């Protein structure tokens, strides 16, 4: 055997011995170490990913729970606020007059004006008229920050001036008849059946005053009163109109009918048109609420139901507009 073969044989025996005792070569050791490290890295990576996933799920669940809790809190607060609003409705003050024209008319009338608040720096235009009349009547005027007026305002349109007055003094039905008698005219009365919109009420007052009505009768319940919005919408006409509050509209109708007044009800289902109806003499016009119109019982109390001609696709008019059209027809027939 050559030395080469011996050498190879020795290497072979050594290799087999190493294999026999499980001793790997450097290359094998390196390979196994890298495989082990790779497996260990993969295992660590998987654990980290699992940990991250758990954390993410935990965070997501906590976020969702927080959102649900927030929603529940908002819903609860909203319900509480609604309950509070139902239990504590906004109180409409009747001792404020807002807007330049309305305040001027209040100052001109016999109404008791406690004082007038004017926004600082707002002294141009009709504000000078307000100041002049107040000074002439010895009524105190105060300059205040506009934000104070914004807080007090109930119309959101005070125009830089608010007058604090004694609440509106309602009249009696007898006062309306006396006023007509003093003017040597036959009574012209407006009766409102549950008008709840202050803008409609203010507009009706303004039109009634212009058309020469002697007074307005309203129910104590389910009808807006002399609020700041009504004052402003009527442009101060409420100061020249006698408004009577009654417990029962139908009883009031019976009383005025006993005094020779014919009662006409505005109803779109009526048979007679207003221009075909004799509206001269002592008349009272009943205007129904914005939604349902005149109530069934009140219709039965009316002597005649009248309607306005309409040719459009809309089958009804705003209460104040319809009332205005009929009031002008009554005035036209009276002065003709």
């Amino acid at each position: 055997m050559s030395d080469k073969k011996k050498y190879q044989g020795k290497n072979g025996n050594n290799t087999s011995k190493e294999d026999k005792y499980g001793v790997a070569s450097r290359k094998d050791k390196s390979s196994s170490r890298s495989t082990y490290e790779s497996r260990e890295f993969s295992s660590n990576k998987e654990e980290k990913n699992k940990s991250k996933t758990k954390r993410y799920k935990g965070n997501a669940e906590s976020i969702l729970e927080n959102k649900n809790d927030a929603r529940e809190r908002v819903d609860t607060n909203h319900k509480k606020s609604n309950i509070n609003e139902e239990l504590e409705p906004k109180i409409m003050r009747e001792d404020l007059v807002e807007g330049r024209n309305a305040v001027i008319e209040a100052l001109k009338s016999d109404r008791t004006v406690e004082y007038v608040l004017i926004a600082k720096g707002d002294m141009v235009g009709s504000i000078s008229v307000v100041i002049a009349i107040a000074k002439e009547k010895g009524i105190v005027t105060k300059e205040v920050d506009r934000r104070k007026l914004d807080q007090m305002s109930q119309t959101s349109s005070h125009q830089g001036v608010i007058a604090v007055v004694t609440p509106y003094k309602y009249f009696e039905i007898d006062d309306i008849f006396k006023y007509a008698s003093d003017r040597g005219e036959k009574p012209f009365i407006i009766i409102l059946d549950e008008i709840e919109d202050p803008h409609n009420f203010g507009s009706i007052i303004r039109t009634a005053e212009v058309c020469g009505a002697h007074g307005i009768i309203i129910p104590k319940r389910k009808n807006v009163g002399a609020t700041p919005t009504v004052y402003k919408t009527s442009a101060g006409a409420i100061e020249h109109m006698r408004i009577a509050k009654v417990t029962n509209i139908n009883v009031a109708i019976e009383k005025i009918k006993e005094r020779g007044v014919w009662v006409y009800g505005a109803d779109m289902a009526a048979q007679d048109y207003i221009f075909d109806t004799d509206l001269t003499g002592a008349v009272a016009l009943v205007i129904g609420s914005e939604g349902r119109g005149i109530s069934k019982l009140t219709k039965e109390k009316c002597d005649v139901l009248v309607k306005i001609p309409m040719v459009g696709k809309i089958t009804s008019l705003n209460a104040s507009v319809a009332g205005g059209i009929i009031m002008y027809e009554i005035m036209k027939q009276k002065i003709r």
Side-chain angles (χ1 to χ4, degrees):
M1 185 181 292
S2 63
D3 294 336
K4 186 176 182 181
K5 285 183 180 179
K6 288 180 181 180
Y7 178 76
Q8 288 177 349
K10 286 181 180 179
N11 286 346
N13 290 335
N14 289 339
T15 303
S16 63
K17 285 181 181 179
E18 289 174 355
D19 288 341
K20 182 179 179 181
Y21 294 104
V23 180
S25 64
R26 183 176 295 175
K27 184 177 181 181
D28 293 337
K29 286 181 180 179
S30 175
S31 176
S32 64
R33 188 183 295 115
S34 61
T35 303
Y36 173 77
E37 290 176 353
S38 176
R39 287 176 182 172
E40 187 179 10
F41 176 76
S42 298
S43 176
N44 292 336
K45 191 174 182 181
E46 287 176 3
E47 288 178 1
K48 286 181 181 179
N49 289 336
K50 286 180 181 179
S51 177
K52 285 182 179 178
T53 303
K54 286 181 181 179
R55 284 200 302 271
Y56 176 76
K57 285 181 179 179
N59 291 336
E61 288 174 359
S62 63
I63 290 169
L64 185 60
E65 287 176 2
N66 290 336
K67 284 184 178 180
N68 291 334
D69 290 342
R71 285 198 192 100
E72 289 176 3
R73 285 196 298 272
V74 170
D75 291 340
T76 304
N77 291 335
H78 183 64
K79 287 177 183 177
K80 286 180 180 178
S81 65
N82 287 340
I83 291 170
N84 291 334
E85 286 176 3
E86 290 176 3
L87 294 176
E88 300 177 4
K90 184 179 179 181
I91 298 172
M92 295 301 294
R93 296 178 61 176
E94 294 192 3
D95 63 337
L96 299 180
V97 178
E98 302 179 26
R100 300 185 180 192
N101 290 334
V103 171
I104 288 172
E105 292 302 324
L107 290 169
K108 286 181 179 178
S109 70
D110 296 329
R111 187 76 172 276
T112 302
V113 180
E114 304 293 341
Y115 54 89
V116 180
L117 301 177
I118 300 172
K120 288 181 180 178
D122 196 356
M123 299 295 174
V124 295
S126 53
I127 288 293
S128 59
V129 179
V130 172
I131 296 171
I133 299 174
K135 186 176 180 180
E136 182 183 342
K137 290 197 168 186
I139 297 169
V140 176
T141 59
K142 300 178 183 178
E143 286 189 52
V144 297
D145 192 280
R146 180 173 285 271
R147 285 176 294 183
K148 180 177 177 61
L149 298 182
D150 293 339
Q151 292 172 356
M152 291 178 63
S153 177
Q154 297 191 326
T155 66
S156 300
S157 181
H158 52 73
Q159 297 177 312
V161 59
I162 293 178
V164 179
V165 301
T166 55
Y168 182 84
K169 182 182 178 181
Y170 292 95
F171 293 82
E172 301 293 333
I173 293 177
D174 288 340
D175 296 325
I176 297 174
F177 279 92
K178 184 178 183 303
Y179 180 57
S181 177
D182 292 343
R183 294 180 60 173
E185 299 170 349
K186 293 179 180 179
F188 176 16
I189 303 169
I190 308 299
I191 301 173
L192 303 182
D193 186 13
E194 299 183 3
I195 297 293
E196 297 180 341
D197 186 346
H199 296 91
N200 276 340
F201 188 27
S203 297
I204 289 169
I205 293 170
R206 188 173 184 176
T207 306
E209 202 281 325
V210 171
C211 291
H214 300 111
I216 297 175
I217 299 174
I218 64 172
K220 287 182 179 179
R221 294 180 66 251
K222 296 183 180 180
N223 203 99
V224 66
T227 65
T229 302
V230 173
Y231 266 95
K232 193 171 188 310
T233 309
S234 73
I238 192 172
E239 293 294 344
H240 310 289
M241 181 57 59
R242 284 152 182 78
I243 300 175
K245 259 189 179 183
V246 298
T247 304
N248 191 307
I249 281 288
N250 297 315
V251 173
I253 289 174
E254 287 294 337
K255 285 183 179 179
I256 64 174
K257 285 170 73 173
E258 290 172 0
R259 301 177 72 162
V261 177
W262 278 71
V263 180
Y264 298 86
D267 183 45
M268 62 182 181
Q271 297 296 320
D272 300 320
Y273 288 114
I274 54 171
F275 55 77
D276 288 333
T277 306
D278 183 6
L279 299 171
T280 59
V283 299
L285 172 64
V286 182
I287 302 172
S289 66
E290 295 87 349
R292 59 176 178 79
I294 303 174
S295 63
K296 183 179 179 181
L297 184 57
T298 305
K299 280 184 186 179
E300 294 173 357
K301 295 289 182 182
C302 295
D303 295 306
V304 182
L305 296 177
V306 294
K307 65 181 179 180
I308 301 166
M310 289 183 288
V311 296
K313 294 181 180 180
I314 303 300
T315 58
S316 64
L317 289 171
N318 178 278
S320 62
V321 174
I325 293 171
I326 301 175
M327 280 187 268
Y328 271 100
E329 179 63 24
I330 294 171
M331 181 184 67
K332 185 183 79 173
Q333 292 190 22
K334 283 181 173 293
I335 64 176
R336 189 166 53 189

